Amino acid sequence: MKNIVIIGASGHGSVVLDCIKQEGRYEVVGFIDSYLKTNQFYCGKKILGNEYDLPNLIEKFGISGGIIAIGDNWTRKKVYERIMQIVPDFIFISTVHPDSTIGTNVTIGQGSVVMPGAIVNANCQIGDFCILNTSCSLDHDSQIKQFSSLAPRSCAGGNLFLGSFSAIGLGTNIIENIKIYEHSVVGAGSLVINNIGSFSVAYGSPARTVRRRDPGEPYLGRNPKGAVISLIARN
């Protein structure tokens, strides 16, 4: 069994750890995290250091690769770029929880995570560094581009196109043959019946674009003033 590390010791990291344990293909030797002290423990695994420690850690622990466990799409991309600068030949694994359902002729890119209960039907293409979260559903012939994500219990009909760095909120429903272009966010609990352009924030039932957004703009949690930001449902 090959030794790997998880980059990101957070709530998302704990679920990624569980996926890897349940799959049984890799041994997680510890976490890499820039914000936690080295040698403390998270979910029973040691914090080994940060990204800049990777060259020494690879030699010390015989690490063959790893996975980035960061929920925010843009931040995940920035961490990927930093690791590529430090260890250009680093190998990123993907993980698929055994309680997910993967259809025929599905491709899953490097660094992607498929959580428990997720359903991916036939002929779907999942790009690199994507997240298909708990109990989401993706119907046939859909394309999910790199660094994009489906939140828990989101449901997409067939032939969805989801652009790079885009995020679908919790419990959102998307009818068939919809295109949601790059860097867009659809708020939780929405119903998407029309295409959504690039760099958009959309929500509601039916979902409507309410404003543009910038690449890397936060969409998880709350902003510094305490206002709920765009993945929270509004109708």
Side-chain angles (χ1 to χ4, degrees):
M1 192 178 293
K2 294 181 178 179
N3 290 343
I4 64 166
V5 291
I6 297 175
I7 299 100
S10 63
H12 183 62
S14 68
V15 183
V16 171
L17 174 61
D18 184 61
C19 286
I20 294 169
K21 285 182 176 179
Q22 294 293 329
E23 260 197 302
R25 294 192 298 134
Y26 301 101
E27 177 65 31
V28 177
V29 297
F31 284 94
I32 300 295
D33 197 287
S34 298
Y35 299 98
L36 296 177
K37 292 182 179 180
T38 301
N39 294 325
Q40 71 179 89
F41 283 81
Y42 180 73
C43 293
K45 298 291 183 178
K46 187 177 286 189
I47 308 298
L48 302 175
N50 60 42
E51 294 96 328
Y52 296 99
D53 298 317
L54 269 173
N56 291 332
L57 294 172
I58 288 169
E59 182 176 356
K60 181 177 180 179
F61 293 99
I63 293 167
S64 63
I67 189 166
I68 302 172
I70 294 173
D72 181 87
N73 294 331
W74 185 257
T75 305
R76 193 159 64 254
K77 178 247 193 184
K78 300 300 288 185
V79 171
Y80 162 75
E81 291 177 337
R82 187 157 62 244
I83 291 172
M84 286 292 92
Q85 291 175 350
I86 299 165
V87 187
D89 59 350
F90 192 79
I91 295 172
F92 292 95
I93 68 152
S94 60
T95 183
V96 178
H97 196 283
D99 286 340
S100 62
T101 301
I102 308 297
T104 304
N105 196 34
V106 170
T107 60
I108 299 173
Q110 66 170 338
S112 290
V113 178
V114 181
M115 298 291 190
I119 299 172
V120 183
N121 279 327
N123 306 315
C124 289
Q125 300 175 33
I126 311 301
D128 295 340
F129 303 98
C130 294
I131 301 171
L132 273 64
N133 231 308
T134 308
S135 298
C136 69
S137 178
L138 182 66
D139 216 337
H140 63 88
D141 299 289
S142 293
Q143 296 182 57
I144 307 298
K145 295 299 186 178
Q146 64 176 353
F147 295 100
S148 59
S149 57
L150 300 178
R153 296 198 177 278
S154 55
C155 179
N159 295 294
L160 171 70
F161 174 88
L162 183 64
S164 300
F165 303 100
S166 288
I168 305 302
L170 286 86
T172 289
N173 291 307
I174 306 170
I175 68 167
E176 68 279 358
N177 300 315
I178 290 293
K179 291 180 172 61
I180 299 171
Y181 292 95
E182 67 268 19
H183 292 281
S184 289
V185 170
V186 180
S190 296
L191 172 63
V192 182
I193 62 173
N194 295 301
N195 295 342
I196 295 173
S198 304
F199 303 98
S200 298
V201 173
Y203 51 75
S205 181
R208 295 180 175 85
T209 298
V210 296
R211 65 173 177 86
R212 289 183 58 81
R213 67 183 297 269
D214 297 323
E217 181 182 328
Y219 60 90
L220 299 173
R222 295 172 180 267
N223 68 21
K225 294 181 180 179
V228 179
I229 55 180
S230 51
L231 278 191
I232 303 301
R234 303 176 191 176
N235 294 309

